[in-house]
């Protein structure tokens, strides 16, 4: 059993309390490899932002759980070396079983998500409570989820959103003891969050997706005032990155994300954690494609992963400073 405190990590409790009262959101950036981790830490140290290093079950399998633990420990030391000991959480994204959550806690995670959203309400409550009871023995914080995001979640494809029912949240939070709650108000995972026919066009011909359901968010906040709320599926799918990927041999079709002004607005509410993965994937892919097309003879991975890391770092700084408001909150 490795305790996250021995790795220099923190749980989300204090972080979320400050974010909710301060009207900003903590970035939860997914990572699978060293370059992504370096970019996250470099960006958050430069922006002086607290950060959640987020690991999905797939990422854990890809990177190896033991390596991940040492990478997270390394991230803490790396931040200090770069000049700012920002608070760092190591979080399991979309845990789908008690066993996976338990294993992550034993490997040094300071926060886990148990995603029971595919189950019935009663089963979601029971599973979430079981994880909370175990996690809290080690002061590990737990994120639960109510409602289903459209798109792909845990390999389950949902054709449309099942928005979170505000009338459920108080009961869910009370019965489970969770520390934060992921809700469904119109975001979704991946690069194709909306179909073009769901969008309107603005004066410049740019597709504008339907707005997030801020009415549901407000209703939820009324029922559990100040309780930490999480937004998944919050990539904005920057169109310059999509364009660059497609101009350099890619084939991304109808890639549409959540406009940044809506995430800015959400960050000012009880939304205190915003999950971003796809935007990072786009940034890395755009940079790698650009380099390899410009220099077809290049075969040193550092020559394309280095620029990919730099692109990623700039994207993350922008998120902290201009979207989530987490800059200078470390
Ligand atoms: O919500 C899902 C995250 O973007 C992680 O995706 O399961 O492909 O690692 P992944
Ligand atoms: P995006 O696909 O919008 O980046 O969402 C990531 C996420 O919610 C991870 O849990
Ligand atoms: Zn998610």
């Amino acid at each position: 059993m490795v305790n996250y405190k021995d790795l220099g990590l923190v749980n989300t409790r204090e972080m979320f309390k400050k974010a909710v009262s301060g009207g900003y959101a903590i970035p939860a950036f997914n990572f699978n490899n060293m370059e992504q981790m370096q970019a996250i830490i470099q960006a958050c140290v430069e922006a002086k932002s607290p950060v959640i290093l987020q690991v999905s079950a797939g990422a854990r399998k890809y990177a190896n759980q033991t390596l991940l633990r040492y990478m997270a420990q390394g991230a803490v030391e790396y931040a200090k070396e770069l000049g700012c000991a920002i608070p760092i959480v190591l979080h399991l994204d979309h845990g789908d079983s008690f066993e996976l959550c338990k294993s992550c806690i034993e490997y040094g995670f300071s926060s886990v998500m148990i995603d029971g959203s595919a189950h019935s309400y009663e089963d979601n409550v029971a599973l979430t409570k079981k994880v909370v009871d175990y996690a809290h023995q080690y002061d590990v914080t737990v994120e639960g989820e109510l409602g289903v995001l459209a798109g792909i979640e845990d390999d389950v494809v949902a054709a449309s959103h099942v928005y979170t029912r505000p009338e459920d949240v108080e009961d869910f939070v009370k019965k489970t003891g969770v520390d934060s709650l992921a809700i469904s108000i119109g975001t979704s995972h991946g690069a194709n969050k909306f179909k073009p026919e769901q969008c309107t066009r603005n004066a410049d011909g740019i597709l504008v997706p339907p707005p997030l359901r801020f009415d549901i968010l407000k209703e939820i906040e009324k029922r559990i005032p100040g309780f930490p709320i999480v937004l998944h599926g919050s990539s904005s799918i920057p169109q310059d990155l999509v364009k660059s990927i497609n101009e350099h041999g890619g084939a991304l079709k109808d890639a549409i994300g959540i406009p940044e002004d809506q995430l800015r607005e959400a960050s000012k509410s009880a939304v205190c954690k915003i999950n971003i993965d796809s935007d990072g994937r786009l940034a890395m892919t755009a940079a790698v494609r650009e380099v390899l097309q410009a220099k077809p003879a290049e075969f040193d991975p550092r020559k394309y992963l280095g620029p990919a890391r730099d692109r990623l770092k700039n994207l993350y700084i922008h998120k902290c400073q201009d979207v989530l408001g987490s800059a200078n909150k470390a």
Side-chain angles (χ1 to χ4, degrees):
M1 173 93 195
V2 181
N3 190 294
Y4 69 87
K5 290 173 189 168
D6 296 333
L7 306 183
L9 299 163
V10 297
N11 68 21
T12 58
R13 201 165 291 122
E14 235 0 73
M15 214 182 242
F16 285 172
K17 208 155 111 193
K18 287 186 190 160
V20 172
S21 63
Y24 61 93
I26 310 289
F29 296 133
N30 289 68
F31 85 109
N32 301 268
N33 61 37
M34 183 187 75
E35 282 78 8
Q36 290 171 323
M37 193 273 273
Q38 289 173 317
I40 296 171
I41 298 302
Q42 288 172 6
C44 292
V45 163
E46 203 164 311
K48 296 194 170 43
S49 169
V51 71
I52 296 172
L53 287 174
Q54 194 155 259
V55 174
S56 69
R60 193 172 183 250
K61 212 185 274 173
Y62 177 82
N64 177 279
Q65 58 202 26
T66 306
L67 277 178
L68 267 177
R69 173 210 308 169
Y70 287 106
M71 278 173 86
Q73 190 170 6
V76 171
E77 297 307 317
Y78 184 43
K80 282 187 211 158
E81 195 181 304
L82 291 175
C84 186
I86 53 170
I88 301 174
V89 169
L90 181 63
H91 175 77
L92 168 67
D93 193 22
H94 294 284
D96 61 352
S97 67
F98 171 76
E99 290 70 27
L100 176 59
C101 293
K102 181 172 179 281
S103 172
C104 285
I105 292 166
E106 287 168 357
Y107 267 86
F109 281 59
S110 58
S111 173
V112 292
M113 174 189 195
I114 177 68
D115 181 354
S117 62
H119 300 285
S120 69
Y121 178 78
E122 289 71 26
D123 290 353
N124 188 359
V125 167
L127 177 61
T128 306
K129 183 176 175 351
K130 189 174 173 188
V131 171
V132 169
D133 289 346
Y134 181 80
H136 281 182
Q137 294 177 67
Y138 304 99
D139 205 19
V140 168
T141 40
V142 180
E143 175 184 327
E145 178 167 332
L146 269 182
V148 181
L149 274 64
I152 304 161
E153 191 165 7
D154 284 343
D155 297 329
V156 176
V157 180
S160 57
H161 305 279
V162 178
Y163 294 117
T164 306
R165 288 160 30 99
E167 52 273 41
D168 290 339
V169 296
E170 204 180 341
D171 183 67
F172 186 82
V173 163
K174 207 156 60 192
K175 282 191 178 146
T176 60
V178 275
D179 301 283
S180 60
L181 182 67
I183 60 166
S184 170
I185 57 165
T187 61
S188 72
H189 292 108
N192 297 82
K193 300 189 188 301
F194 305 96
K195 296 194 181 74
E197 53 270 28
Q198 290 175 280
C199 305
T200 52
R201 279 194 193 272
N202 70 12
D204 302 321
I206 310 273
L207 287 173
V208 181
L212 297 181
R213 292 289 304 271
F214 281 99
D215 56 322
I216 298 178
L217 173 60
K218 282 208 178 74
E219 196 53 43
I220 290 170
E221 284 192 86
K222 242 190 255 167
R223 291 172 192 248
I224 43 173
F227 190 81
I229 300 296
V230 177
L231 283 190
H232 282 249
S234 296
S235 278
S236 296
I237 316 300
Q239 292 301 303
D240 57 330
L241 295 177
V242 174
K243 189 164 174 270
S244 170
I245 288 172
N246 286 341
E247 282 173 1
H248 294 86
L252 293 177
K253 205 171 171 293
D254 298 336
I256 304 169
I258 310 296
E260 288 187 338
D261 57 341
Q262 294 195 33
L263 297 170
R264 215 171 278 124
E265 186 180 341
S267 300
K268 291 177 187 148
S269 71
V271 169
C272 62
K273 171 176 181 271
I274 290 195
N275 288 7
I276 297 170
D277 187 2
S278 296
D279 283 356
R281 296 179 180 192
L282 292 173
M284 283 197 96
T285 302
V288 170
R289 282 192 177 281
E290 286 166 23
V291 172
L292 292 182
Q293 196 176 80
K295 299 175 187 167
E298 189 54 73
F299 68 99
D300 179 344
R302 293 170 298 185
K303 296 287 165 39
Y304 51 86
L305 292 179
R309 185 176 60 194
D310 292 345
R311 190 75 60 91
L312 204 46
K313 176 187 170 189
N314 291 338
L315 173 92
Y316 291 146
I317 291 179
H318 165 68
K319 298 286 179 188
C320 296
Q321 286 180 343
D322 308 321
V323 186
L324 277 59
S326 63
N328 298 313
K329 306 293 185 187

